[in-house]
Amino acid sequence: MSTVLFVYAKGGPPLGYALSRVAARSAVHLLALSTLPPSVAESAERRCASVLTADGPERGDLVSLIVSRAQAVGAQAVITFSEYAVVAVAEACQKLGLAGPGSSAALARDKRLMRHTWKQQEIAQPRFRPIASEEELRAAAGALRLPLLLKAAWSAGSTAHRIIRCAEDVPAAWDRAREVMVESAQLGYAELHVADAGADFLVEEIVPGTADGWFDQEGWGDYVSVEGVVVGGDFHPVCISGRMPTVEPFTERAGITPAALPDDAQRRVVDLARAAVDALGLDTCGTHTEIKLGADGRMWVIETAARFGGAMTVPQIEEVFGLDLIGMLVDHLLGRPVSWPAEVLAPKDARGATGSLVVLAVDGAGAAWPDRRRWDFPVVADSVPLSPGSRLSVVAENSLPDGTPVPVYDPAAGANTMAALCLLSAVDPETVLHDLRTLVDALPHTLPSAGITEARS
């Protein structure tokens, strides 16, 4: 039987979902670089041939650890779905002579290298500068067009994002962004292979995004993501995911599969994504490419990752298009034939639609809830009115236990202050968007009071 080494770290699709898809294709040995979610730990022991946890200093040289573990279990493939382990797994695969993201994986991880590569290829993107100090940030604020977005070069989940509207914002933005990277590392959301990656930043101009002219329905966010895969250097786009508007500064609130884009707009978005992915020279891996939409058909690439989209992106694709992307990638890595979509899939190809909502303590306009609430999914499921045929569930692995106070939203911490992740299924993307907006509006009134009055935006 074929054998796969699954390197787990925080981020990516829910572990229980990903592990079940890998285990259905091969014997799987789990190398856990983060503590396993309690809801998955028991099933992991059943599904895996072995589970080795190395979530502390005992990891040592991460690439060497992955290589030695792969050799010990006789793995024919090594895979990860975590942003924080992609580079280490790519390097390990090269040392083992196995298919993987390849030598340029860091270009799809370090946003500074990514942006420089796209600049050389003249791919549309916001103007930017790498930043390593407050002095460099101050100089960039004087040279680029305000407002600017400061972001960590190795972050994920919109953490450490700070908006700079004037030169006076620089000191506080710099201090808070670095604090958040330290806090994120303590929570396990940090690059695992590159030392001191939390000190690397870049700043970029905030381009004037708009959803007007792209969607027929109001309420869509002004950016999309192209989900795909690179196989032996060839990019295969799978579908386009839409969004609700972000919460300031740019924290993602919800992803919707598929995006309700007209065919011509979809083709143009895919063409830009293809140029961005091809420029990075990836070999074999999932891809997730975010594109900002502007007026008069303008677009800018924001970033690409050498892994599948996180949260519920991959489960949503399986639900509406019937494609098990994780299983398909495992099959390919094991040398089995795989039929990737001949062209990007559209709403007309979907069986309904799905959306995943990150529960944050802000209303539809981005304002903080007036008081603290406790997360309680049964109350939400019973009380929030949805469209006929719509179904709402909670992703327990990515949610706080019922009864836990919903964290106060911290713009700098982004998704680190989420309370839960909900999945909504409906007849079409438009209905998903409508129901998610209803859910967002209802939460601060439906959830039980936490008996705590402070709140901040």
Side-chain angles (χ1 to χ4, degrees):
M1 186 177 185
S2 299
T3 301
V4 170
L5 177 65
F6 183 160
V7 180
Y8 166 72
K10 288 191 174 183
L15 176 59
Y17 172 88
L19 188 56
S20 67
R21 270 60 183 174
V22 178
R25 297 302 206 281
S26 68
V28 56
H29 294 262
L30 186 64
L31 174 58
L33 306 179
S34 301
T35 302
L36 299 183
S39 60
V40 181
E42 183 178 344
S43 62
E45 293 287 349
R46 294 196 309 269
R47 286 192 171 116
C48 297
S50 71
V51 177
L52 176 64
T53 300
D55 59 357
E58 72 276 6
R59 279 197 302 257
D61 178 356
L62 185 52
V63 174
S64 296
L65 171 64
I66 296 171
V67 169
S68 63
R69 188 59 185 160
Q71 292 172 333
V73 302
Q76 287 96 45
V78 180
I79 197 165
T80 189
F81 305 106
S82 169
E83 181 86 348
Y84 309 114
V86 162
V87 176
V89 167
E91 292 186 16
C93 286
Q94 287 188 285
K95 290 181 179 293
L96 291 162
L98 300 176
S103 59
S104 63
L107 299 183
R109 181 72 181 98
D110 183 343
K111 296 176 178 64
R112 301 166 303 171
L113 298 177
M114 187 186 307
R115 293 299 185 81
H116 277 302
T117 302
W118 288 339
K119 183 177 180 180
Q120 292 172 348
Q121 297 291 325
E122 298 184 344
I123 293 171
Q125 62 176 324
R127 292 176 64 205
F128 73 98
R129 281 195 179 187
I131 300 295
S133 68
E134 182 180 332
E135 290 72 25
E136 290 184 357
L137 180 57
R138 191 179 302 278
L144 299 175
R145 187 193 70 244
L146 297 170
L148 303 175
L149 178 64
L150 176 66
K151 58 173 65 172
W154 299 83
S155 67
S158 305
T159 54
H161 284 189
R162 300 298 290 168
I163 294 178
I164 298 171
R165 295 182 171 86
C166 62
E168 287 71 25
D169 292 342
V170 167
W174 179 246
D175 289 344
R176 183 57 183 144
R178 290 187 300 159
E179 288 173 359
V180 169
M181 289 306 293
V182 172
E183 295 165 2
S184 294
Q186 293 170 346
L187 294 171
Y189 296 102
E191 170 61 32
L192 295 169
H193 178 47
V194 178
D196 300 321
D200 299 330
F201 290 82
L202 77 157
V203 67
E204 64 186 35
E205 294 181 349
I206 298 178
V207 292
T210 179
D212 293 345
W214 291 92
F215 298 93
D216 295 331
Q217 178 190 20
E218 292 185 357
W220 290 90
D222 61 4
Y223 73 113
V224 295
S225 60
V226 179
E227 322 303 344
V229 64
V230 177
V231 178
D234 293 329
F235 175 57
H236 297 265
V238 173
C239 69
I240 300 177
S241 300
R243 297 294 193 280
M244 292 179 72
T246 57
V247 179
E248 190 172 336
F250 288 100
T251 303
E252 296 188 4
R253 193 198 286 272
I256 299 171
T257 309
L261 282 173
D263 290 345
D264 180 64
Q266 180 159 289
R267 284 191 294 270
R268 294 183 59 245
V269 166
V270 168
D271 287 345
L272 181 55
R274 184 183 301 278
V277 173
D278 287 349
L280 300 180
L282 299 171
D283 188 86
T284 300
C285 58
T287 61
H288 173 75
T289 307
E290 296 183 354
I291 294 176
K292 188 82 164 181
L293 307 175
D296 302 320
R298 292 194 68 188
M299 295 179 290
W300 302 266
V301 184
I302 302 300
E303 61 184 56
T304 284
R307 44 84 181 165
F308 292 127
M312 294 299 289
T313 303
V314 176
Q316 288 172 219
I317 291 171
E318 182 171 11
E319 179 174 338
V320 302
F321 292 116
L323 295 178
D324 172 8
L325 293 184
I326 290 177
M328 294 166 71
L329 181 58
V330 169
D331 279 341
H332 176 81
L333 293 174
L334 293 173
R336 300 167 184 160
V338 177
S339 296
W340 300 100
E343 58 184 18
V344 67
L345 300 172
K348 61 181 174 57
D349 304 306
R351 303 174 301 193
T354 65
S356 49
L357 177 75
V358 175
V359 176
L360 302 167
V362 288
D363 63 20
W369 291 354
D371 55 12
R372 297 291 298 278
R373 299 279 167 161
R374 295 186 183 277
W375 175 244
D376 192 323
F377 179 72
V379 169
V380 173
D382 290 341
S383 305
V384 177
L386 302 177
S387 300
S390 295
R391 305 182 310 279
L392 183 67
S393 59
V394 66
V395 185
E397 183 182 321
N398 298 79
S399 303
L400 297 174
D402 290 329
T404 305
V406 175
V408 172
Y409 176 64
D410 181 347
N416 288 356
T417 52
M418 66 182 284
L421 183 64
C422 293
L423 181 67
L424 189 141
S425 302
V427 295
D428 54 38
E430 293 82 0
T431 304
V432 170
L433 178 60
H434 173 272
D435 284 354
L436 288 180
R437 295 176 72 182
T438 298
L439 182 58
V440 167
D441 291 340
L443 285 174
H445 311 289
T446 301
L447 291 173
S449 173
I452 307 171
T453 57
E454 83 273 14
R456 70 177 187 271
S457 62

